[in-house]
Amino acid sequence: MDHKIKNIISIHDFSTKEINYILSVSQEVYKNPDKYTDLLKGKIIATLFFEPSTRTKMSFETATKKLGGNTIGFEDIQTTAIKKGETFSDTIKIVSGYSDLIIMRTKIEGAARFASEITDKPIINAGDGTNQHPTQTMLDLFTIKQKIGKLDDISIGFFGDLKYGRTVHSLVEAISLYNPKIIKFISSPEFTIGKEYLKILDSKKIKYEILDTPIGNLKDLDILYVTRTQLERIAEPIDIEKLKKKYTITKELLDNENNPNLFVMHPLPRVYEIDKNVDDSKYNLYFKQAENGVYVREAILLILLGLI
Ligand code: CP
């Protein structure tokens, strides 16, 4: 590597070479799960979750424990001194004195970047508002490469809430580094992808389409990346029943597209947007995707702590 990877804040900070390096270490961890069992011995990893999480928090905890380390942290600020008026900044400084690396999820865009500026300890952004979720992106890329053998020249569709979904934002930026054949953005008009992401694609002359239905639009895709409606980030009332009718991926819909090479991904949690009948089908890649989070996050911890 030209320089040490110190933090994981935004995909924007990474070159293709650096992402490929993280993916190659992830593959090494995946292939040799028992090789790294005590590299984190004596290390304390802090998990500060100001927003709920199942996968990100637990897969980082699993990764830490598999590597021989320990975790501290919180998942409910009601139980912390923030409730008594302690600032975010003081919280970060205090936790820096207790831990070797800090993983944090907040609803405030830019909070992880701010934290990285007030501590020398590595910071991992585990999701900041609607902005970025870069370690999800690393595991998404790992899963795509594992399944279809490449990241370059793929056809990918993004489906669902493309406006507020931070996993979409991070992955669009990342996949733009790999010269995709086409990107299709499929959503209800009020959840379309932001212009800032289209600008990135325009600047790289990457072909994309903005569509409002999956029907007839999945035939040439390698990956359909589905996301849930981020209700917790939307102020205006939403007619969920109407959305469900038009924007639920079912096995029948997928079968009708007649694309046996299509795989469906989802960062999860799923609410209604993928019918349960897809779970037992050949299209389902989302559970493997979630499992891969552990290997990729093991690799990220090892890299950020300079242990590999
Ligand atoms: N994919 C993801 O971030 O899931 P959690 O919200 O459960 O962490």
Side-chain angles (χ1 to χ4, degrees):
M1 286 283 79
D2 297 340
H3 68 274
K4 194 174 169 309
I5 300 173
K6 167 87 196 306
N7 303 300
I8 301 209
I9 307 290
S10 167
I11 290 298
H12 207 66
D13 303 330
F14 287 85
S15 64
T16 318
K17 193 174 163 187
E18 287 170 324
I19 294 176
N20 287 343
Y21 173 66
I22 292 171
L23 300 184
S24 71
V25 176
S26 305
Q27 177 62 13
E28 172 65 19
V29 172
Y30 180 81
K31 268 192 352 211
N32 303 294
D34 300 325
K35 195 171 157 188
Y36 305 101
T37 47
D38 59 3
L39 286 185
L40 248 63
K41 204 166 168 209
K43 301 285 185 199
I44 305 287
I45 305 300
T47 58
L48 311 187
F49 278 71
F50 297 81
E51 279 197 321
S53 168
T54 296
R55 276 146 294 274
T56 311
K57 184 169 186 296
M58 290 176 71
S59 63
F60 264 123
E61 287 171 350
T62 305
T64 302
K65 286 169 188 173
K66 282 181 79 183
L67 296 168
N70 277 303
T71 58
I72 58 169
F74 58 77
E75 55 199 7
D76 178 2
I77 60 166
Q78 303 298 326
T79 64
T80 72
I82 293 168
K83 191 66 190 151
K84 295 189 276 188
E86 185 159 54
T87 62
F88 176 77
S89 171
D90 280 0
T91 304
I92 296 300
K93 285 177 188 159
I94 299 305
V95 175
S96 295
Y98 300 159
S99 62
D100 297 286
L101 180 150
I102 299 172
I103 300 160
M104 54 184 302
R105 169 173 289 186
T106 74
K107 58 171 180 281
I108 300 166
E109 288 185 25
R113 175 90 59 206
F114 174 69
S116 74
E117 287 162 4
I118 57 173
T119 176
D120 287 337
K121 296 291 164 67
I123 295 284
I124 295 178
N125 178 8
D128 60 334
T130 62
N131 186 34
Q132 287 263 325
H133 191 351
T135 66
Q136 176 70 45
T137 299
M138 301 293 179
L139 77 90
D140 293 340
L141 294 173
F142 180 81
T143 304
I144 294 169
K145 188 157 187 209
Q146 182 183 60
K147 196 66 188 178
I148 64 179
K150 61 178 185 174
L151 290 170
D152 291 293
D153 201 34
I154 67 166
S155 300
I156 181 165
F158 289 93
F159 174 89
D161 179 352
L162 314 184
K163 182 174 178 183
Y164 298 102
R166 58 194 172 201
T167 60
V168 171
H169 301 158
S170 294
L171 187 55
V172 169
E173 268 205 80
I175 213 75
S176 78
L177 298 170
Y178 292 93
N179 197 22
K181 202 180 280 175
I182 187 161
I183 302 181
K184 295 189 181 184
F185 296 107
I186 307 166
S187 73
S188 157
E190 67 269 36
F191 292 115
T192 195
I193 188 80
K195 287 196 171 41
E196 62 273 35
Y197 297 99
L198 300 182
K199 257 190 204 162
I200 295 171
L201 303 182
D202 286 335
S203 72
K204 297 179 177 183
K205 297 192 170 25
I206 292 168
K207 208 170 136 196
Y208 61 82
E209 291 176 12
I210 310 279
L211 302 160
D212 72 353
T213 175
I215 298 167
N217 288 319
L218 312 183
K219 294 181 198 313
D220 53 352
L221 295 182
D222 300 303
I223 299 290
L224 180 66
Y225 193 94
V226 179
T227 57
R228 79 183 162 92
T229 309
Q230 307 274 304
L231 287 176
E232 70 275 31
R233 309 193 196 284
I234 303 167
E236 55 273 20
I238 299 289
D239 187 344
I240 286 290
E241 291 312 313
K242 197 170 148 205
L243 273 181
K244 271 186 194 173
K245 277 195 194 117
K246 201 169 167 193
Y247 295 100
T248 298
I249 298 296
T250 62
K251 181 169 181 299
E252 295 75 22
L253 185 151
L254 294 169
D255 284 344
N256 283 340
E257 293 293 301
N258 198 19
N259 177 358
N261 301 317
L262 177 65
F263 293 102
V264 176
M265 296 176 68
H266 192 312
L268 304 176
R270 156 195 42 195
V271 185
Y272 63 83
E273 59 283 355
I274 301 179
D275 191 281
K276 277 190 179 0
N277 73 2
V278 182
D279 293 3
D280 294 326
S281 76
K282 62 190 175 197
Y283 308 108
N284 175 358
L285 192 50
Y286 35 94
F287 293 141
K288 183 65 184 168
Q289 179 188 0
E291 181 200 317
N292 282 341
V294 174
Y295 315 115
V296 174
R297 288 175 170 130
E298 280 184 73
I300 286 170
L301 292 174
L302 291 173
I303 292 168
L304 264 58
L305 289 168
L307 298 171
I308 198 160

